[in-house]
Amino acid sequence: MDSTESTKGKESVQKRSPLDLIMNQLRRKASFTERKKPAVGRLFRPSESSDKRNVGIPEVKESEAEINDTDDEAGSVVGWGRVKQFAQKLGKTPHSQNLSLSHCDLTATDVVELATLLPFLAQLEVMDLSWNDLVGGSLKALTAHLHHVGKLRVLKLCSCRLTNQDLTSLGEALDSIPLIEVLDLSWNVGVGGGHFRHFTEHLQPESTLKELRLVDCQLSETDITALSEALPMLSSLEELDLSNNKLSIKGVENFTSSLGSTPQLKTLNLSKCGLSKDSISVLGQALGSVPALEHINLSCNKEAGGGLTMLSTNLALLTHLRSLDMHLCCLTKEDVLALVQVASSLKELRELDLSSNKSVGETLQNLLQTLPLSQITKLPLNNCALSTHACHALGTAMQMLKQLESLNLSWNKCVGENLKQFLEPLSPDFKLQELRLSSCNLTTEDVLQLESACQRGVLSHLKQLDLSYNGSVGDGGWMALFGKAAALKGLEELDVSLRPSASLSVSPWLPALLEALPHLSSLTRLSLQHWALSSAEREKLEKILCKKNVILECDKLATARPKAAG
């Protein structure tokens, strides 16, 4: 690692002097004390008073029991009382196998106290301390006691400001948790900058790790090299997530050269890694060494366009591939046609995401002719510049998509006036759960086709329906749709928001919506942003939604614009 990289790595880690730690503790002392006081509401919770009787709280009795009680079972009961008290002061409910303390504003003092409680959590399998900034720098206090939780399988330390000392302590503690399968260190810049080796150098052959997540850790080329050298010890690895880390071509070469050491790898996530077409080509050459791959995510690599030829050639070797995500990769027409050549070999493919690639619009027909349509469950085609010809091709293919659960056609203007051909092939045995048609230039006639589909019962499994940013739909269309909305018995989320520049009145169709709402028993979210509601209309709507515990998303009271403005 050169001096520039070293300097950058040091600067990326937010170091704290002893004085900073002391000041942090002082600033949090008040809030820490407050947390130890029971909330007024908790005094009236029967479960808590019952727990206190059974466990042996208050603390005076507990302390005496710890000193004098030699019976292991009794000590365990008292210890569990301490665990409950600790969790409750943080607003959490304790569980003997799953301890989630994410977003709890933990202090170093809390970490020390938690460490003393581990002997009473011998059955613990999952521990999540994510999103607690002050855990960083104090992890050793906890890892020194991990031998008490030898059954631990999942450890999450996302966004904890981990330092290289923390990585060392965690690495040294791996022997204490021999069953660990999932380790998530995402969003810790201190993991990068050349520091990851402090952890990897402690890995032992035949490690039990199955999932390793390092999202947005600012991994450097040195860190990727450390990972590459460690992969031979991770023969059980099934999932590796390196997304949001910029990988150089040399880093990709080092990394992929060791992929053959992880024969069980099923999921590889390299989203937003700055991969170039050359990087994609290098990755393609390595795919043959990981035949068990089922899920590949290469999305949001905008320089990857033009590199799919080499990758697609080797995709045919992945006979178990179930999902491929390359949305927002600036794919060329040649890239998609290269994928067409191997699509017929992908017998297990269930999900293909090529959304936000304009070239898909002119090549969709070729792709649909080779994909295993009868088993596709997810087909995002949003923002793909679909042409009318492409819409016709997809409409024809719909009758083959019997297993389709999610269809996203948003931001394709040609869908407007063509929705009928997508809906007519649907039959009651279709399992469509998600339909997104945002900004599709839908007309009143299109929404009437949706109403007809509801009446035929072919959308009874629908959970998410997005019709936002379609301001050209007339009031009659919304009235008809909501009039049949009771048929959408499984609907959980409905979005009919307008563009920010529009503000039309809900008055003509609100009565139909209000009448339908009691029948939408599964609804959890209703979005009506940029529609204008009077205070009386909003009050009626909120009264019904409040009873159903439905989240309403809408603007503050506004004056409706004339219909022509839509």
Side-chain angles (χ1 to χ4, degrees):
M1 180 173 66
D2 59 32
S3 59
T4 303
E5 182 180 347
S6 176
T7 302
K8 181 179 179 181
K10 291 178 180 178
E11 291 175 350
S12 67
V13 182
Q14 301 184 36
K15 294 187 178 294
R16 289 171 295 217
S17 67
L19 178 60
D20 291 331
L21 289 172
I22 293 172
M23 292 305 295
N24 274 324
Q25 294 299 318
L26 289 175
R27 282 194 292 269
R28 295 182 181 273
K29 184 176 180 181
S31 62
F32 178 72
T33 303
E34 286 301 316
R35 286 186 321 206
K36 298 182 80 169
K37 297 178 181 178
V40 174
R42 291 178 185 160
L43 297 176
F44 298 96
R45 282 164 52 177
S47 60
E48 181 169 337
S49 61
S50 175
D51 291 335
K52 287 184 177 181
R53 288 195 300 270
N54 294 333
V55 170
I57 297 174
E59 291 182 2
V60 174
K61 293 182 180 180
E62 180 182 343
S63 299
E64 292 175 355
E66 284 187 285
I67 295 173
N68 301 317
D69 199 340
T70 58
D71 184 84
D72 290 340
E73 185 176 352
S76 177
V77 172
V78 172
W80 181 244
R82 288 184 55 201
V83 172
K84 292 187 68 174
Q85 189 177 50
F86 177 75
Q88 287 172 352
K89 78 180 180 184
L90 298 170
K92 297 287 186 175
T93 301
H95 191 284
S96 61
Q97 294 180 313
N98 189 330
L99 184 63
S100 177
L101 299 178
S102 63
H103 296 279
C104 280
D105 204 20
L106 295 178
T107 66
T109 304
D110 293 326
V111 174
V112 172
E113 183 176 358
L114 175 60
T116 67
L117 299 177
L118 291 186
F120 311 111
L121 290 166
Q123 303 304 313
L124 194 64
E125 296 184 5
V126 179
M127 181 160 57
D128 187 355
L129 305 181
S130 301
W131 307 100
N132 289 291
D133 284 352
L134 292 183
V135 168
S138 59
L139 195 61
K140 187 173 183 177
L142 182 69
T143 57
H145 296 270
L146 284 182
H147 60 278
H148 292 296
V149 287
K151 295 183 179 181
L152 194 68
R153 295 186 302 102
V154 179
L155 179 59
K156 297 182 179 181
L157 295 166
C158 304
S159 190
C160 285
R161 284 192 179 181
L162 299 183
T163 65
N164 56 343
Q165 291 88 355
D166 293 323
L167 293 175
T168 299
S169 300
L170 182 59
E172 292 174 343
L174 288 177
D175 288 340
S176 301
I177 43 177
L179 302 181
I180 192 71
E181 295 180 354
V182 179
L183 181 61
D184 195 342
L185 304 178
S186 300
W187 295 289
N188 283 291
V189 298
V191 171
H195 297 135
F196 190 47
R197 62 180 176 81
H198 292 289
F199 170 76
T200 58
E201 63 188 11
H202 295 282
L203 287 171
Q204 298 296 321
E206 305 302 323
S207 166
T208 56
L209 268 182
K210 292 184 178 181
E211 300 178 19
L212 179 59
R213 302 188 186 114
L214 301 168
V215 180
D216 197 9
C217 286
Q218 296 189 17
L219 300 180
S220 66
E221 193 171 292
T222 302
D223 297 311
I224 295 299
T225 299
L227 174 62
S228 302
E229 294 172 349
L231 285 181
M233 288 174 282
L234 301 176
S235 57
S236 298
L237 197 65
E238 296 181 2
E239 178 178 337
L240 179 60
D241 192 344
L242 301 179
S243 55
N244 285 46
N245 289 288
K246 189 170 181 60
L247 305 182
S248 66
I249 181 66
K250 185 176 180 181
V252 173
E253 290 175 347
N254 290 338
F255 161 64
T256 55
S257 66
S258 299
L259 275 182
S261 303
T262 56
Q264 306 302 318
L265 193 65
K266 296 180 180 179
T267 300
L268 179 61
N269 192 338
L270 298 176
S271 174
K272 203 175 181 181
C273 283
L275 301 183
S276 64
K277 63 179 181 180
D278 293 332
S279 300
I280 295 292
S281 180
V282 170
L283 175 62
Q285 296 173 34
L287 290 182
S289 62
V290 279
L293 270 178
E294 296 180 3
H295 310 281
I296 302 178
N297 188 345
L298 302 175
S299 62
C300 302
N301 287 293
K302 297 183 179 180
E303 298 178 6
L308 199 55
T309 303
M310 179 62 71
L311 177 71
S312 60
T313 301
N314 290 279
L315 281 177
L317 302 174
L318 304 180
T319 55
H320 301 290
L321 191 66
R322 298 176 64 88
S323 69
L324 175 62
D325 188 347
M326 294 199 70
H327 78 266
L328 197 60
C329 282
C330 297
L331 299 182
T332 64
K333 180 179 179 179
E334 289 70 28
D335 287 327
V336 182
L337 292 178
L339 183 59
V340 168
Q341 298 301 314
V342 299
S344 59
S345 302
L346 305 177
K347 304 296 185 182
E348 298 297 318
L349 195 66
R350 299 291 189 273
E351 301 179 8
L352 178 63
D353 191 346
L354 301 179
S355 59
S356 297
N357 288 292
K358 303 294 185 181
S359 59
V360 173
E362 55 183 325
T363 54
L364 183 61
Q365 183 178 14
N366 305 80
L367 193 59
L368 292 173
Q369 291 174 347
T370 56
L371 285 175
L373 298 179
S374 61
Q375 60 191 33
I376 294 293
T377 61
K378 187 175 182 180
L379 191 60
L381 294 169
N382 46 296
N383 197 25
C384 281
L386 297 185
S387 62
T388 302
H389 186 66
C391 284
H392 289 319
L394 180 58
T396 302
M398 285 299 295
Q399 56 188 338
M400 296 290 295
L401 293 165
K402 295 289 187 179
Q403 303 301 318
L404 191 65
E405 297 177 358
S406 175
L407 179 64
N408 190 342
L409 300 174
S410 296
W411 303 95
N412 288 293
K413 305 301 182 183
C414 72
V415 174
E417 299 183 346
N418 285 301
L419 191 58
K420 180 179 180 179
Q421 58 191 308
F422 302 120
L423 298 176
E424 278 195 336
L426 299 181
S427 59
D429 61 334
F430 271 71
K431 301 296 190 292
L432 193 64
Q433 298 180 18
E434 179 182 16
L435 179 59
R436 299 194 179 276
L437 302 167
S438 178
S439 192
C440 283
N441 272 2
L442 297 185
T443 64
T444 300
E445 179 59 30
D446 291 320
V447 178
L448 290 175
Q449 291 299 325
L450 269 175
E451 178 252 348
S452 176
C454 289
Q455 193 169 10
R456 289 188 289 120
V458 300
L459 298 178
S460 59
H461 297 282
L462 207 61
K463 293 182 179 180
Q464 285 93 29
L465 178 59
D466 185 356
L467 302 174
S468 60
Y469 289 16
N470 287 291
S472 56
V473 177
D475 294 330
W478 298 123
M479 290 176 63
L481 177 63
F482 295 134
K484 301 296 181 183
L488 301 174
K489 55 186 178 182
L491 196 65
E492 297 175 359
E493 298 182 12
L494 174 62
D495 192 343
V496 292
S497 300
L498 296 176
R499 294 180 182 277
S501 58
S503 184
L504 306 178
S505 174
V506 301
S507 299
W509 50 262
L510 185 61
L513 175 61
L514 295 176
E515 188 174 342
L517 284 175
H519 303 287
L520 299 177
S521 57
S522 300
L523 194 67
T524 59
R525 185 178 74 90
L526 174 63
S527 187
L528 299 174
Q529 296 184 61
H530 313 306
W531 285 96
L533 291 82
S534 67
S535 56
E537 290 170 335
R538 182 162 185 158
E539 184 177 349
K540 288 181 181 179
L541 185 59
E542 290 180 339
K543 185 176 181 180
I544 294 178
L545 296 181
C546 184
K547 292 180 180 179
K548 295 171 58 64
N549 199 27
V550 176
I551 297 174
L552 175 63
E553 298 176 355
C554 66
D555 300 337
K556 296 180 180 180
L557 297 178
T559 304
R561 299 183 181 183
K563 182 62 182 177

